[in-house]
């Protein structure tokens, strides 16, 4: 059965079910001890889920006695296992896989409220409704299933929010969440830090060494800086800083990409950790780095969450929506923002092996940002005006 047909059948079935729904939740229960069980949905990528952690803290502050369960992408549950604002993690495989089984499982938990912080449609909102919870909140709420939400009357799209964290905090506020800041939560377990120390020692890397991280991979090709540029930058940094080591990070799928960069740098002070470190140890590595050079990636958000400076490279995406808090007083993050080269931008379906928009970021300007960061200079945002577009 095709995805579109499943969505159509689900939509019509839920419209019929909703027509006979007799639930009449009392709004005065929000923000009180009457809310005992909360389900938060943040079931997409690592970075998306990290952006949800301030909203989880908002809910914990407002509902200290409540059981807060979080529906997370199955692959990333280990990363959030020690988050103090989460009582239970429910693994989520995504799509329509085991959809009805999951809906029944959620219903048996008797949630009072569901907050969709970031989840793919058309599954997220139907799951919230089928859970049986009296209250269901989501922003943006402009999809076909919005009639199932408690906040369906005032319609909002993504353009209503300055940053992804603002969007999630707005959802928490609808649910009675307490005010909080934009800090992301990513605790580093002592055991994972100790394991990392042993790995570093086995490679002869002492505590005094300066570790510079490279994250060459990204969720889409359009967000990747070229491997050749990373290799050239690596050679320059090793020559400039005799005590530094380069740490290449990434997932198992990105190990070949990182290995090619390590081979091109051709130096002993390079460690390719992509696919080698367990995901749960990655926060400890990010905390140990002096800085991370990265595109718009989950590891970028991890580094920011553990207070490690980043040199973040943006073109397809807008740093103001998904980047670190660069440019603010006291920020140590450096952002280089270029323009979208192609019209229309195909983003996830970028046809280029090396996207021309990311190629507009030169090795020279990244090297300057790295040296300024290591020198302790304040973070900054470097923008460039766009030339005429390439029409695809």
């Amino acid at each position: 059965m095709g995805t579109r047909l499943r969505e159509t059948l689900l939509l019509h079935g839920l419209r019929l079910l909703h027509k006979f729904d007799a639930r009449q939740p009392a709004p005065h229960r929000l923000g009180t001890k009457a809310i005992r069980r909360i389900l938060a949905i943040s079931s997409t990528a690592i970075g998306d889920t990290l952006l949800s952690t301030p909203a989880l803290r908002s809910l914990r502050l407002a509902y200290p006695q409540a059981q807060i369960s979080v529906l997370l992408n199955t692959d990333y549950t280990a990363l959030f296992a020690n988050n103090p604002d989460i009582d239970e993690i429910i693994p989520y495989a995504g799509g329509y896989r085991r959809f009805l089984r999951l809906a029944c499982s959620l219903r048996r938990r008797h949630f009072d409220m569901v907050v969709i912080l970031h989840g793919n449609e058309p599954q997220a909102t139907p799951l919230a409704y089928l859970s049986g919870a009296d209250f269901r909140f989501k922003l943006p709420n402009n999809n076909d299933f919005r009639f199932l939400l408690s906040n369906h009357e005032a319609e909002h799209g993504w353009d209503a929010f300055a940053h992804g964290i603002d969007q999630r905090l707005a959802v928490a506020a609808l649910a009675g969440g307490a005010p909080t800041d934009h800090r992301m939560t990513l605790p580093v377990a002592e055991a994972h830090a100790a394991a990392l120390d042993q790995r570093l020692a086995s490679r002869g890397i002492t505590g005094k060494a300066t570790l510079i991280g490279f994250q060459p991979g990204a969720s889409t090709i359009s967000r990747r800086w070229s491997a050749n540029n990373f290799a050239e930058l690596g050679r320059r940094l090793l020559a400039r800083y005799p005590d530094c080591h380069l740490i290449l990070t990434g997932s198992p799928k990105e190990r070949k990409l990182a290995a090619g960069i390590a081979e091109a740098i051709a130096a002993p002070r390079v460690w390719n950790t992509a696919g080698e470190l367990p995901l749960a140890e990655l926060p400890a590595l990010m905390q140990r780095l002096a800085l991370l050079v990265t595109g718009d990636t989950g590891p970028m958000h991890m580094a920011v969450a553990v207070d490690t400076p980043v040199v973040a490279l943006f073109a397809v995406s807008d740093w103001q929506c998904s980047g670190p808090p660069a440019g603010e007083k006291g920020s140590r993050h450096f952002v280089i923002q270029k323009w979208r080269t192609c019209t229309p931008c195909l983003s996830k379906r970028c046809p280029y092996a090396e996207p021309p928009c990311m190629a507009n970021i030169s090795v020279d300007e990244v090297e300057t940002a790295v040296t300024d960061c290591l020198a302790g200079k304040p973070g900054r945002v470097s923008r460039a005006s766009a030339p005429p577009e390439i029409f695809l």
Side-chain angles (χ1 to χ4, degrees), residues 5 101 123 168-169 202 229-230 329:
L5 178 57
R101 185 186 305 174
Q123 293 82 25
R168 290 154 174 81
L169 286 175
S202 70
N229 284 348
F230 269 112
K329 184 177 180 181

Side-chain angles (χ1 to χ4, degrees), residues 220-242:
T220 63
I221 289 177
S222 61
R223 299 185 182 195
R224 291 182 185 176
W225 200 40
S226 81
N228 289 336
N229 284 348
F230 269 112
E232 174 61 21
L233 177 65
R235 289 190 290 266
R236 293 187 189 185
L237 294 177
L238 289 176
R240 181 186 287 264
Y241 302 103

Side-chain angles (χ1 to χ4, degrees), residues 70-213:
V70 183
L71 191 69
L72 292 180
N73 187 306
T74 301
D75 295 335
Y76 310 134
T77 56
L79 198 60
F80 300 93
N82 59 345
N83 184 302
D85 301 315
I86 299 175
D87 295 308
E88 177 192 27
I89 291 177
I90 303 173
Y92 178 55
Y96 286 104
R97 187 180 177 186
R98 297 191 290 273
F99 177 85
L100 290 178
R101 185 186 305 174
L102 176 59
C104 292
S105 174
L106 296 179
R107 196 172 188 88
R108 287 194 295 270
R109 285 174 163 84
H110 303 290
F111 291 110
D112 298 298
M113 179 167 64
V114 180
V115 290
I116 304 174
L117 302 175
H118 198 270
N120 289 327
E121 298 293 358
Q123 293 82 25
T125 300
L127 280 173
Y129 180 75
L130 292 172
S131 74
D134 285 341
F135 299 100
R136 304 165 300 279
F137 299 105
K138 179 181 185 292
L139 292 169
N141 60 348
N142 53 357
N143 66 72
D144 290 341
F145 292 90
R146 62 191 299 265
F147 67 95
L148 299 173
L149 298 171
S150 300
N151 61 308
H152 64 274
E153 292 184 358
E155 187 172 342
H156 298 281
W158 279 108
D159 57 358
F161 311 100
H163 193 278
I165 292 178
D166 294 311
Q167 169 260 323
R168 290 154 174 81
L169 286 175
V171 178
L174 287 173
T180 189
D181 56 34
H182 282 54
R183 288 178 300 109
M184 293 180 286
T185 302
L186 186 62
V188 176
E190 290 184 7
H192 296 150
L196 176 66
D197 287 341
Q198 291 181 355
R199 294 179 190 274
L200 291 171
S202 70
R203 302 186 65 88
I205 302 175
T206 67
K208 296 181 179 179
T210 299
L211 305 187
I212 299 175

Side-chain angles (χ1 to χ4, degrees), residues 303-365:
V304 173
V306 298
D307 201 29
T308 292
V310 299
V311 174
L313 315 179
F314 282 75
V316 168
S317 52
D318 184 352
W319 79 271
Q320 295 180 91
C321 298
S322 60
E328 297 178 1
K329 184 177 180 181
S331 172
R332 298 185 297 153
H333 304 301
F334 289 73
V335 172
I336 299 173
Q337 175 78 65
K338 297 299 183 180
W339 56 89
R340 288 189 174 194
T341 308
C342 305
T343 302
C345 173
L346 300 181
S347 188
K348 294 181 180 180
R349 295 179 289 112
C350 180
Y352 297 101
E354 295 190 356
C357 55
M358 292 295 283
N360 290 322
I361 302 174
S362 72
V363 176
D364 286 346
E365 57 189 324

Side-chain angles (χ1 to χ4, degrees), residues 236-283:
R236 293 187 189 185
L237 294 177
L238 289 176
R240 181 186 287 264
Y241 302 103
D243 67 335
C244 90
H245 291 255
L246 300 180
I247 311 296
L248 304 181
T249 63
S251 67
K253 292 180 180 179
E254 295 164 343
R255 184 164 182 81
K256 184 178 180 180
L257 171 65
I261 295 171
E263 184 178 352
I265 296 173
R269 286 183 286 141
V270 180
W271 179 21
N272 177 17
T273 71
E276 180 177 325
L277 286 185
L279 182 61
E281 289 185 25
L282 202 50

